[in-house]
Amino acid sequence: GIDELARSKLTNNYTFKGTFQLNRNNQVIGFLNKRNKLQELRDLGPLVPISAARYQASRNYPWKWEWTSVLGSRAFLDVIAGNWYNFFPLEPTDQHGFVTDVVPGRLDTGTNQRTGYHDSYQDQKRYKPQVYASLSYFKDGWAGSHDFKVGYDWKRDRRFFTKPQPGNIFYRDLNGAVNELDLYNTPNTSTNQVVYNAGHISDTWKLNERLTLNLGVRF
């Protein structure tokens, strides 16, 4: 029924995880997962008819590789490389056979009643690669014991956002009369990107049984 179609259906297609002991001191860990969300009539309700609902079939793919290495009796290296793919479309329901002959969209701001097409469709693709590397080193006998850590982080968040709008027009009524118009020039795609770099170094300095200093700097 309609209630069933309006619900979110979450599925986990597959998950792979493997740990590989390369030798006594080196280990590699791999992980891959695919998740889906299907909501065929998103937003459907008393004020949102089937024509103004949105069809969502989104997918997520997180994965990572991690390398850990014991560098002698005092040092330890950990390197992680990963990514997260996200595909998030919101499409008109007539493209999937739920309705036909849909008229241009309208929203009555006095009652919040919608008719025709929705005013917010999208096709979003997002990619977030990232790398983390850290080296730990323990040293005793320098006015106490020291646990040094130095690391570097890199991340990039890139989003491609396509905006389609059937008919390139949307009406905003007020209590049954046209009050405003939205005019579009679709389809168009924007690209947003953030790149993040960070370095850090710290020292857990244990002077004696009663006093420990946690020192560090991050940029």
Side-chain angles (χ1 to χ4, degrees):
I2 295 297
D3 290 343
E4 182 68 22
L5 293 173
R7 292 175 184 163
S8 295
K9 302 174 182 68
L10 305 177
T11 56
N12 187 347
N13 292 77
Y14 52 75
T15 300
F16 299 109
K17 182 176 181 181
T19 301
F20 311 95
Q21 194 70 39
L22 302 179
N23 53 41
R24 181 179 177 182
N25 293 334
N26 291 275
Q27 185 181 80
V28 174
I29 300 170
F31 173 82
L32 172 64
N33 174 243
K34 179 186 178 184
R35 301 192 300 264
N36 294 309
K37 177 182 177 182
L38 176 63
Q39 193 170 7
E40 296 173 295
L41 295 178
R42 179 180 169 129
D43 311 310
L44 181 67
L47 300 177
V48 181
I50 293 178
S51 64
R54 295 177 292 173
Y55 184 93
Q56 177 184 354
S58 55
R59 311 183 308 283
N60 289 278
Y61 302 86
W63 64 263
K64 78 158 186 177
W65 286 103
E66 181 174 7
W67 170 40
T68 62
S69 182
V70 179
L71 307 175
S73 61
R74 298 180 180 273
F76 180 80
L77 177 66
D78 187 20
V79 179
I80 299 176
N83 208 333
W84 176 66
Y85 303 116
N86 172 254
F87 304 100
F88 185 8
L90 293 173
E91 299 170 338
T93 53
D94 63 346
Q95 294 183 6
H96 298 273
F98 288 97
V99 287
T100 58
D101 301 323
V102 181
V103 297
R106 310 187 81 102
L107 171 65
D108 194 314
T109 56
T111 63
N112 287 324
Q113 179 67 56
R114 290 183 178 272
T115 57
Y117 285 112
H118 202 282
D119 63 323
S120 184
Y121 300 109
Q122 68 177 43
D123 183 13
Q124 178 177 256
K125 298 178 176 65
R126 197 169 181 183
Y127 308 90
K128 296 181 70 175
Q130 45 203 288
V131 176
Y132 304 91
S134 64
L135 177 66
S136 301
Y137 180 76
F138 180 80
K139 179 64 178 177
D140 203 0
W142 288 357
S145 65
H146 297 262
D147 187 2
F148 297 103
K149 291 184 180 179
V150 59
Y152 171 71
D153 302 345
W154 176 88
K155 288 181 257 186
R156 187 189 69 200
D157 188 349
R158 178 180 289 172
R159 186 183 74 155
F160 301 99
F161 190 91
T162 300
K163 169 70 176 174
Q165 184 63 39
N168 281 322
I169 192 169
F170 187 84
Y171 297 89
R172 300 187 184 275
D173 301 338
L174 180 58
N175 298 322
V178 176
N179 187 46
E180 296 178 341
L181 277 178
D182 293 347
L183 300 176
Y184 300 82
N185 181 25
T186 66
N188 52 69
T189 300
S190 62
T191 302
N192 298 330
Q193 176 169 285
V194 175
V195 177
Y196 169 94
N197 287 276
H200 59 89
I201 184 169
S202 65
D203 177 18
T204 302
W205 180 9
K206 185 175 181 180
L207 287 89
N208 52 54
E209 293 298 325
R210 293 178 175 271
L211 179 61
T212 299
L213 301 179
N214 290 310
L215 310 173
V217 62
R218 184 179 184 92
F219 178 74

